[in-house]
Amino acid sequence: MLGDDSLAKSNTFNDNKWRTLDLPHDWSIEGSFSQKNPSTANEGGLPTGIGWYRKTFTLPLSSKSKNIIINFDGVYRNSEVWINSHYLGKRSNGYISFNYDLTGYLKFGNQTNIIAVRVDNSDQPNSRWYSGSGIYRNVWLTTVNKSHFKQWGTFITTPQISNSSAIVNISTSISSTDKSLSLKAIIYNEMGKVVADNLSSINQVGAIRDVVIKNPILWSTDHPYLYKVVLQLFKGNELLDDYQVNIGIRSFKFDSQKGFSLNGIQIKIKGVCMHHDLGALGAAVNTRAIERQLQILKQMGCNAIRTSHNPPAPEFLDLCDKMGFLVMDEAFDMWAKKKTKHDYHEDWAQWHKQDLTDQILRDRNHPCVFIWSVGNEIREQFDSTGIAITRELVKIVKNLDDTRPVTSALSESDPHKNFIYKSGALDLVGLNYHQEVYADFLKNYPNQKFIATETMSALETRGFYDTPTDTTRHWPQSSKIPFTQGNLQFAVTAYDNVAAYWGSTHEETWKIIKKYDFLSGLFIWTGFDYLGEPTPYPWPPRSSYFGIVDLAGFPKDVYYMYQSEWTDKPVLHLLPHWNWKPGQLVDVWAYYSQADEVELFLNGKSLGIKKKQGDDLHVSWKVKFEPGTLKAISRKNGKIVLSQEIHTAGAPAKIQLIADRKSIYADGNDLSFITVKVLDKDGNIIPDAENLVTFKVKGAASIAGVDNGSQISMEPFKANYRKAFHGMCLLIVRSQKIKGEVLVEATSRGLMPSTLTLNTK
C-alpha cells in the first residue's frame, strides 16, 4: 500500500483491498516524472513517499523446533518490520542486507503468520542519484536447526597458491551449545567432481581448517573458474545444517611501480562505475537484467566494476564471480557530513559500524571483490576529522578481512590537503578525476599504489551529433556559472569532445592511464547511463549523460573506442549517420583496431587513407555531404580486415524487432530485451525517427518495461508504447510462470508492423 497507516502493523488489519505483487519491487519506477516531486531531477524526478508491505504465510508443525530467520537483501529505506504484531526493528540504510530472528513469535500448523514492513523514503532529498523505493531486493525465509552455521560466519581464503596446489583455509562460526558436533568440508570443481574433503570435530565457537586442492585452476577475468565449497554440520550421522559457497582461487597484487597483477600477470584494470538502477526496471533487482548489463560491458572489454557508491545486490556479485569481473565494493557516499539534506549522515553515528561490518561479512567470500572502498568524495577529507574516521573504518574492515586492500575515492588530489590520505590508513590511493596529476603520481605520493577510482565524466547523447569536433567543450564550465551552452534538444554530441568541468573526454584520460605502468587502471564514470543527476542540463532531463551505454542498453559511439582499445577483436566503427543537408560539412570519425589504416569512400570515390598518428585513438575526415553510401575499409599489411557502410536513409517504412533471447525461462522473472528499430524500405535505420510504437504481448509473458535511451523522455517506463529515439526503442518482456509461446506485435501509424515469436521453457 502506498501511504501510511500505523494500524497496518497489526495482524487484525484488513488488507483485502491492497494490491498483490511479487518482490523485488520498486514503487517509484511505476510513477510519473514531475519537477514537483520532492526527489528532484537529481533523483530522477519520480515519486517517493511511504509504503507498506504485508505477507501472510503458514509454517508446518515440523518447523516448531527450528530457528526461523527472515533475510532482507536491501530495502530503500528506513525499513521497520513486524511479525505477528511484534516489532522486530529498524534499518535505515537502503543498501545494506540485514536479518531478524523470528523464532519465538511464530505460529504453526493451520495458524497464519503476518509479516508487516513499513518503508519510509519520504524525507527528501536523501540521495544524489535515483534510489528507488521499497523492498527492491530479494527477501528469504530460512529455517534451520538449533545448531546451525551462523549467517555470514564463514570466511574462506586461499593463503598459499602454486601451480601444484592451493591451500583453502576455512573459518566458520557455529550457533550451538552442543560440543559433540563434527564438521565436514567438501570442495567440488565445475564438473561436480570432489577435489578435496576433510572431517573433524569442532568446538562450539567454530572451526578453522586447511584443505588442499591439487593442480588448482585459477580464477581470472578471462577464465572465471569457480569451485564449490560445501560445509556440513553433523551430530553423529545426522546432518544438522549445510552451507554452500562458490570460491575462486586467485592471487593479485598492487605495486607502486608496476601497477596491478592478477595471478602474477600484469594487467590494466579497465573498469567502469555503475549505479544500481536497471533503467526501465528501476531499482528492483532482476538477475537477467544485471547479467545483460555485464554482458554488454564484457563485450566492450571491461574487466572491473566499482559499485558506486554503496553495497550492491548479492546477485550482482554472484554474476561478477561467474562472468569474470573484478569489483571495488564501496560502502558509503558520505560519513558524518551531509551531501543532501536527509542522506545517510543522519544515521552515521548510530549505524555506520554495523552497516560496514555487515557489508564485509556478507561479501568477503566473493573472488570478484578485490578492493574495499570506505567512501566516495567524503567531505571529511578537508578537515582533521577525516583522520580518525578513516582509521576507524579501515580497522573495522581489516579485523574482518585482511586479504584485500582498502581505499577511499578522493576528490582532493593534493596529499598535503587531504586528511583521509594523511590518516595513513589506506592501502591504495584512489583519486577521482585530476588526470593532470597522474603522470607525477609517484613524485607526489612516493612509494604509494595508485587506482583511478573515478574518471572522465564525459557526456554524450546516443545518436546526436554537432560540430566542431576538434576542440573539447566543458559542460558546465564551472559550478559557479549557470549552464547556458546547450541546445533546444537538451542533447550532447556523441562525438567524444564534451565533458563536465571536473572531468575529461574518454580519450584524454585513457591515453594517460595506458601510458604508465604504475597507473594500475581506472573506473570510468559511468558504464551505463543511470536515472538522476542529469548533468549538464536542468529539468526536463531526468537521467544522466555520462554512460558509455545509454539507459536502454544501446551503446553510444565511444563504446567502440573502448572495444578497439580493450579487446583483441578487430573493430571498425564509423560515425555519424549519413542524413544531412546537401553540401553540409560533416566530421566523419572511425574507431578501428587490428589494422594499420582506414580508407573512406563516398559513393565509391575515395576520400583518402588515414592512419593513427602518435597516441591517436581515432581517425577523422571532413566530408561535404551528398546522399548515398559512406563506406570505410580497414586494412592490415594491405589486406582488408573489416568494412562498414552507412547509407542515407529514406522515409520511415517499417519496424524491426530483434530479441536478445528468443527462449526464456518460465520462472516469472526471466526477461527478453527486444530492440525496436524504425527502418526505411531498404532496411536502413532512420537516424531522426521519433515514431510512436505500440506493443502487444500475447501468451506466457507480459510487458516489464519500455525505454528508448532519451534523457528527457517523460513517457512512463511501465507502458505498452514508446516513441523511438534516434530510430530506436526498447521493449522488455517478462516471462510468466507457465511454459508456452509468446507473440510480440509492434505497430506504428504509417509503418509496416512487425511480429516476433518467443517461447518460455
Side-chain angles (χ1 to χ4, degrees):
M1 175 194 77
L2 282 180
D4 198 12
D5 189 335
S6 62
L7 298 178
K9 65 188 178 185
S10 171
N11 275 23
T12 60
F13 182 82
N14 185 349
D15 58 14
N16 288 338
K17 294 183 179 180
W18 284 21
R19 169 186 168 194
T20 299
L21 54 80
D22 291 328
L23 298 178
H25 172 249
D26 171 11
W27 78 67
S28 291
I29 203 68
E30 300 171 350
S32 299
F33 294 103
S34 173
Q35 191 176 11
K36 296 180 180 179
N37 281 325
S39 61
T40 74
N42 272 344
E43 294 180 52
L46 287 165
T48 51
I50 297 173
W52 281 85
Y53 299 83
R54 284 165 58 92
K55 170 71 175 178
T56 301
F57 64 99
T58 59
L59 292 167
L61 290 172
S62 59
S63 296
K64 203 167 187 179
S65 61
K66 311 285 188 181
N67 278 30
I68 299 174
I69 301 162
I70 189 166
N71 299 281
F72 292 87
D73 286 345
V75 182
Y76 203 91
R77 87 188 271 275
N78 292 317
S79 66
E80 296 179 272
V81 184
W82 290 260
I83 179 65
N84 293 330
S85 304
H86 173 80
Y87 185 65
L88 293 170
K90 179 178 181 177
R91 287 300 280 263
S92 59
N93 191 321
Y95 299 103
I96 208 71
S97 297
F98 59 94
N99 65 82
Y100 296 109
D101 192 338
L102 307 184
T103 310
Y105 310 111
L106 296 169
K107 304 171 186 178
F108 301 90
N110 294 326
Q111 299 183 82
T112 59
N113 300 277
I114 298 177
I115 288 179
V117 181
R118 181 180 186 267
V119 184
D120 185 354
N121 194 22
S122 59
D123 287 340
Q124 294 291 333
N126 62 41
S127 177
R128 299 186 301 116
W129 59 88
Y130 177 78
S131 65
S133 301
I135 307 178
Y136 74 110
R137 293 181 180 172
N138 277 301
V139 183
W140 312 93
L141 194 66
T142 306
T143 301
V144 294
N145 285 304
K146 295 296 182 183
S147 295
H148 59 272
F149 293 105
K150 290 183 179 179
Q151 185 180 42
W152 307 333
T154 298
F155 186 28
I156 301 176
T157 59
T158 52
Q160 294 182 35
I161 302 171
S162 69
N163 291 332
S164 59
S165 67
I167 294 177
V168 180
N169 181 270
I170 302 171
S171 171
T172 188
S173 298
I174 309 297
S175 179
S176 180
T177 57
D178 192 337
K179 298 182 181 181
S180 64
L181 305 179
S182 61
L183 173 71
K184 186 172 186 179
I186 311 168
I187 302 180
Y188 299 87
N189 65 16
E190 286 193 348
M191 302 300 291
K193 180 182 178 181
V194 175
V195 294
D197 62 4
N198 215 330
L199 177 69
S200 72
S201 60
I202 61 174
N203 57 41
Q204 65 187 83
V205 176
I208 300 175
R209 28 194 324 98
D210 287 341
V211 180
V212 177
I213 297 178
K214 294 181 179 180
N215 303 314
I217 300 174
L218 302 186
W219 184 97
S220 69
T221 55
D222 294 327
H223 188 211
Y225 194 92
L226 297 174
Y227 291 89
K228 182 170 70 175
V229 177
V230 178
L231 302 181
Q232 297 175 324
L233 185 65
F234 289 94
K235 182 177 178 61
N237 293 323
E238 180 187 1
L239 178 63
L240 300 180
D241 195 15
D242 68 343
Y243 172 77
Q244 299 184 14
V245 60
N246 290 329
I247 66 166
I249 299 172
R250 84 286 186 270
S251 64
F252 62 87
K253 180 182 179 181
F254 285 89
D255 184 88
S256 62
Q257 300 294 326
K258 297 180 180 179
F260 178 74
S261 60
L262 180 63
N263 300 324
I265 301 171
Q266 187 176 357
I267 65 172
K268 285 287 188 186
I269 297 163
K270 304 167 185 172
V272 299
C273 301
M274 289 287 283
H275 276 316
H276 71 301
D277 79 71
L278 297 169
L281 303 176
V285 164
N286 181 281
T287 301
R288 172 55 196 157
I290 300 171
E291 181 183 47
R292 174 183 178 251
Q293 287 188 335
L294 293 175
Q295 286 173 337
I296 291 168
L297 292 172
K298 195 76 171 180
Q299 290 165 6
M300 185 181 78
C302 174
N303 64 12
I305 310 288
R306 175 188 180 211
T307 67
S308 48
H309 305 288
N310 45 261
E315 291 86 351
F316 172 85
L317 294 179
D318 289 340
L319 285 165
C320 288
D321 287 343
K322 176 183 176 183
M323 298 174 67
F325 286 91
L326 298 164
V327 173
M328 176 189 290
D329 201 342
E330 194 153 72
F332 306 115
D333 187 43
M334 72 293 297
W335 294 349
K337 295 187 175 184
K338 68 182 179 182
K339 292 183 178 177
T340 58
K341 184 176 181 180
H342 294 293
D343 63 26
Y344 186 71
H345 84 280
E346 296 181 338
D347 310 300
W348 176 260
Q350 180 180 358
W351 284 109
H352 74 273
K353 295 178 183 178
Q354 184 69 58
D355 288 342
L356 182 58
T357 296
D358 288 348
Q359 175 187 357
I360 305 303
L361 290 175
R362 188 197 72 169
D363 294 350
R364 61 185 177 172
N365 287 325
H366 286 279
C368 66
V369 176
F370 80 131
I371 301 173
W372 301 113
S373 170
V374 293
N376 170 66
E377 299 184 352
I378 298 299
R379 293 191 170 178
E380 281 84 347
Q381 68 188 305
F382 302 110
D383 66 68
S384 60
T385 61
I387 293 176
I389 297 176
T390 304
R391 290 172 178 172
E392 176 201 23
L393 297 179
V394 173
K395 184 178 180 181
I396 291 172
V397 175
K398 294 294 187 179
N399 284 340
L400 300 171
D401 175 21
D402 62 0
T403 70
R404 298 172 173 92
V406 181
T407 193
S408 183
L410 307 177
S411 52
E412 172 55 71
S413 63
D414 186 337
H416 304 291
K417 296 180 180 180
N418 195 307
F419 287 88
I420 291 179
Y421 172 71
K422 289 165 75 172
S423 73
L426 301 180
D427 301 303
L428 291 173
V429 176
L431 296 183
N432 283 11
Y433 307 103
H434 294 291
Q435 66 279 354
E436 70 277 2
V437 307
Y438 291 177
D440 292 329
F441 176 79
L442 290 178
K443 295 179 183 178
N444 297 323
Y445 297 84
N447 301 314
Q448 294 298 305
K449 302 166 186 176
F450 170 94
I451 180 69
T453 39
E454 187 172 317
T455 59
M456 279 62 166
S457 278
L459 306 166
E460 292 97 9
T461 298
R462 175 187 55 80
F464 179 84
Y465 306 93
D466 65 17
T467 55
T469 68
D470 50 2
T471 58
T472 298
R473 287 172 274 172
H474 288 285
W475 288 10
Q477 289 182 325
S478 165
S479 62
K480 300 176 182 179
I481 303 173
F483 179 67
T484 58
Q485 299 166 267
N487 48 62
L488 296 177
Q489 298 96 322
F490 296 96
V492 182
T493 182
Y495 295 109
D496 177 31
N497 69 323
V498 181
Y501 67 87
W502 60 81
S504 74
T505 65
H506 289 280
E507 294 194 13
E508 181 182 350
T509 294
W510 173 241
K511 287 178 183 180
I512 300 170
I513 294 291
K514 69 182 286 190
K515 184 176 180 180
Y516 299 98
D517 285 346
F518 62 84
L519 301 179
S520 63
L522 81 174
F523 291 92
I524 297 162
W525 193 263
T526 53
F528 274 61
D529 279 341
Y530 55 92
L531 287 163
E533 205 171 20
T535 306
Y537 291 102
W539 191 267
R542 43 57 171 173
S543 58
S544 79
Y545 294 74
F546 296 118
I548 300 168
V549 182
D550 76 13
L551 198 68
F554 302 141
K556 302 177 187 178
D557 292 289
V558 76
Y559 177 96
Y560 300 96
M561 185 276 282
Y562 285 111
Q563 193 175 67
S564 71
E565 286 286 299
W566 287 4
T567 74
D568 293 328
K569 68 180 72 174
V571 173
L572 176 61
H573 179 76
L574 196 60
L575 65 141
H577 59 75
W578 205 237
N579 278 57
W580 302 95
K581 295 177 181 178
Q584 182 175 352
L585 194 63
V586 180
D587 287 0
V588 176
W589 286 25
Y591 297 118
Y592 70 95
S593 65
Q594 312 303 313
D596 303 317
E597 63 186 31
V598 177
E599 187 171 8
L600 186 69
F601 298 85
L602 177 57
N603 294 327
K605 180 182 177 181
S606 176
L607 301 181
I609 293 173
K610 293 292 181 79
K611 300 179 180 181
K612 295 177 188 175
Q613 303 295 320
D615 62 357
D616 288 349
L617 301 181
H618 73 273
V619 292
S620 64
W621 300 258
K622 289 189 178 295
V623 182
K624 282 189 177 182
F625 173 75
E626 62 179 58
T629 300
L630 195 67
K631 181 177 181 179
I633 296 176
S634 63
R635 301 186 186 93
K636 188 174 183 64
N637 297 324
K639 295 183 179 180
I640 294 176
V641 177
L642 292 172
S643 65
Q644 184 190 5
E645 291 185 4
I646 300 176
H647 303 275
T648 303
K654 57 187 177 181
I655 301 168
Q656 182 183 35
L657 300 178
I658 306 169
D660 69 335
R661 295 185 306 153
K662 290 189 175 182
S663 182
I664 58 178
Y665 291 101
D667 58 6
N669 291 309
D670 204 3
L671 304 171
S672 180
F673 289 83
I674 301 173
T675 299
V676 183
K677 295 183 178 181
V678 178
L679 308 177
D680 68 9
K681 62 181 180 59
D682 297 319
N684 300 304
I685 191 167
I686 313 297
D688 59 351
E690 296 183 348
N691 303 67
L692 179 64
V693 184
T694 302
F695 305 104
K696 289 183 180 179
V697 176
K698 301 176 182 178
S702 59
I703 296 175
V706 289
D707 198 1
N708 60 15
S710 168
Q711 289 96 348
I712 66 170
S713 174
M714 295 290 111
E715 297 171 288
F717 290 124
K718 305 298 183 182
N720 67 340
Y721 60 89
R722 196 69 170 189
K723 282 186 178 180
F725 180 64
H726 295 298
M728 299 171 66
C729 60
L730 178 74
L731 170 67
I732 309 171
V733 172
R734 186 193 305 270
S735 68
Q736 296 176 355
K737 294 181 180 179
I738 53 175
K739 297 179 181 180
E741 192 171 86
V742 179
L743 181 64
V744 178
E745 298 178 353
T747 58
S748 181
R749 179 174 295 181
L751 302 184
M752 184 183 301
S754 183
T755 61
L756 183 68
T757 301
L758 310 175
N759 71 81
T760 59
K761 56 186 178 181

